[in-house]
């Protein structure tokens, strides 16, 4: 009865196969890998993973780093997160992180105090612990701001009053824009090398909507004078052939 009601609602016929196998695509395995990466790289574990991450979330405790990492991993991004703790130096790998991969998280002091005090009650800890004291929390937030100021190219988001999904959408749009600009730069470079004008082709038009950036070819495999993107190479290649036909005419 229930399955037939669902079938009528979604206008699809059931397979009538108990435990029917889920289609295992490349996208599926990519997301599984991203989730495993997020679990291994949570809360500052395995700092050496930072260089392999697509994004690194940085912030004080209780700024939604872990749930946001897990959500983004479900969309195919390899995300690590690093907590900022007073008196504990940040890992050296964080300073070597490419600017576009850093992401700061900050929050209003009142909301953070409310979250932390609820956490203290949940853990059965005394209410006067420094973790939930206003002066201590303010000092932590100021310390976080100093870290963000030392990395001005990081994308810093104010998460007060924002749902995880809302913050994730902002991040995914920023990542998409970053990949679009990188793709356009590759197309322009390849067109320049081919001696043809760069075609005005957007990455989204070529690849369709994407939830997370695709892996670009390894830099180690690049050959000087060649395009680093196969798709970009095909794009400027067509433009170059068109320019050649015009010149022969």
């Amino acid at each position: 009865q229930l399955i037939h009601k669902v079938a009528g609602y979604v206008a699809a016929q059931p397979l009538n196969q108990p435990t029917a196998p889920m289609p295992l695509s490349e996208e599926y395995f990519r997301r599984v890998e991203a989730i495993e990466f997020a679990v291994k790289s949570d809360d500052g574990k395995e700092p050496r993973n930072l260089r392999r991450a697509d994004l690194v979330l940085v912030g004080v405790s209780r700024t939604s780093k872990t749930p946001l990492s897990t959500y983004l991993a479900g969309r195919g991004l390899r995300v690590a997160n690093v907590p900022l703790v007073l008196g504990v130096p940040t890992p050296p790998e964080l300073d070597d992180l490419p600017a576009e991969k850093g992401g700061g998280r900050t929050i209003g002091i009142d909301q953070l105090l409310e979250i932390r005090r609820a956490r203290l009650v949940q853990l059965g800890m005394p209410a006067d612990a420094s973790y939930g004291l206003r002066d201590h929390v303010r000092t932590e937030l100021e310390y976080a701001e100093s870290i963000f100021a030392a990395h001005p190219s990081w994308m810093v988001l104010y998460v007060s009053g924002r749902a995880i999904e809302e913050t994730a959408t902002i991040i995914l749009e920023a990542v998409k824009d970053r990949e679009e600009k990188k793709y356009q730069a590759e197309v322009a470079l390849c067109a320049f090398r081919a001696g043809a004008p760069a075609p005005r082709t957007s990455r989204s038009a070529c690849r369709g909507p994407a939830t997370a950036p695709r892996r670009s070819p390894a830099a180690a495999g690049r050959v000087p004078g060649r395009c680093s993107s196969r798709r970009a190479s095909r794009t400027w290649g067509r433009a170059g052939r068109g320019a050649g036909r015009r010149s022969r005419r």
Side-chain angles (χ1 to χ4, degrees):
Q1 294 272 346
L2 178 60
I3 192 68
H4 291 297
K5 288 184 179 180
V6 174
Y9 182 78
V10 300
Q13 292 300 318
L15 296 177
N16 294 321
Q17 296 178 12
T19 65
M22 180 178 177
L24 303 180
S25 62
E26 179 183 351
E27 177 70 14
Y28 170 81
F29 287 108
R30 188 165 70 93
R31 295 188 181 199
V32 170
E33 178 194 358
I35 293 173
E36 291 177 347
F37 182 89
V39 172
K40 292 178 180 178
S41 308
D42 183 41
D43 206 26
K45 293 183 293 186
E46 297 291 343
R48 58 186 178 181
N49 281 349
L50 298 186
R51 66 189 65 183
R52 297 174 48 225
D54 296 317
L55 180 68
V56 178
L57 305 180
V58 184
V60 300
S61 176
R62 316 314 293 180
T63 50
S64 304
K65 298 186 300 298
T66 296
L68 185 56
S69 298
T70 305
Y71 184 93
L72 291 171
R75 304 296 295 273
L77 281 174
R78 292 190 299 188
V79 185
N81 71 79
V82 176
L84 296 178
V85 182
L86 285 174
V88 178
T90 57
E93 291 84 356
L94 195 62
D95 294 327
D96 299 331
L97 194 70
E100 68 274 8
K101 292 188 177 183
R105 298 293 166 270
T106 189
I107 189 173
I109 186 170
D110 291 329
Q111 184 174 354
L112 183 56
L113 278 170
E114 181 181 352
I115 294 172
R116 286 193 174 186
R117 286 169 180 170
R119 180 63 172 166
L120 288 174
V121 172
Q122 184 182 19
L123 296 176
M125 298 178 64
D128 59 351
S130 60
Y131 187 74
L133 295 181
R134 177 175 289 271
D135 289 343
H136 182 82
V137 172
R138 180 184 292 109
T139 304
E140 282 191 59
L141 290 173
E142 290 173 351
Y143 171 63
E145 289 296 334
S146 69
I147 296 294
F148 301 153
H151 300 85
S153 298
W154 286 4
M155 178 176 63
V156 179
L157 290 180
Y158 187 75
V159 299
S160 289
R162 278 193 175 134
I164 297 296
E165 295 83 358
E166 183 181 359
T167 306
T169 298
I170 296 173
I171 293 172
L172 289 171
E173 287 297 323
V175 171
K176 182 179 178 182
D177 290 343
R178 183 184 75 196
E179 292 298 308
E180 178 75 23
K181 291 178 181 178
K182 184 187 298 184
Y183 170 73
Q184 292 290 354
E186 288 179 347
V187 171
L189 177 61
C190 293
F192 173 77
R193 289 173 177 171
R200 295 182 180 179
T201 305
S202 68
R203 171 183 176 150
S204 57
C206 293
R207 301 187 180 181
T211 57
R214 299 288 180 180
R215 303 286 183 262
S216 59
R222 294 176 182 169
V223 179
R226 293 187 183 179
C227 180
S228 61
S229 169
R230 294 180 181 178
R231 190 176 299 273
S233 179
R234 289 196 297 268
T235 303
W236 69 256
R238 289 193 296 269
R241 289 194 295 272
R245 285 195 294 271
R246 288 193 296 271
S247 64
R248 286 195 293 271
R249 291 173 188 170

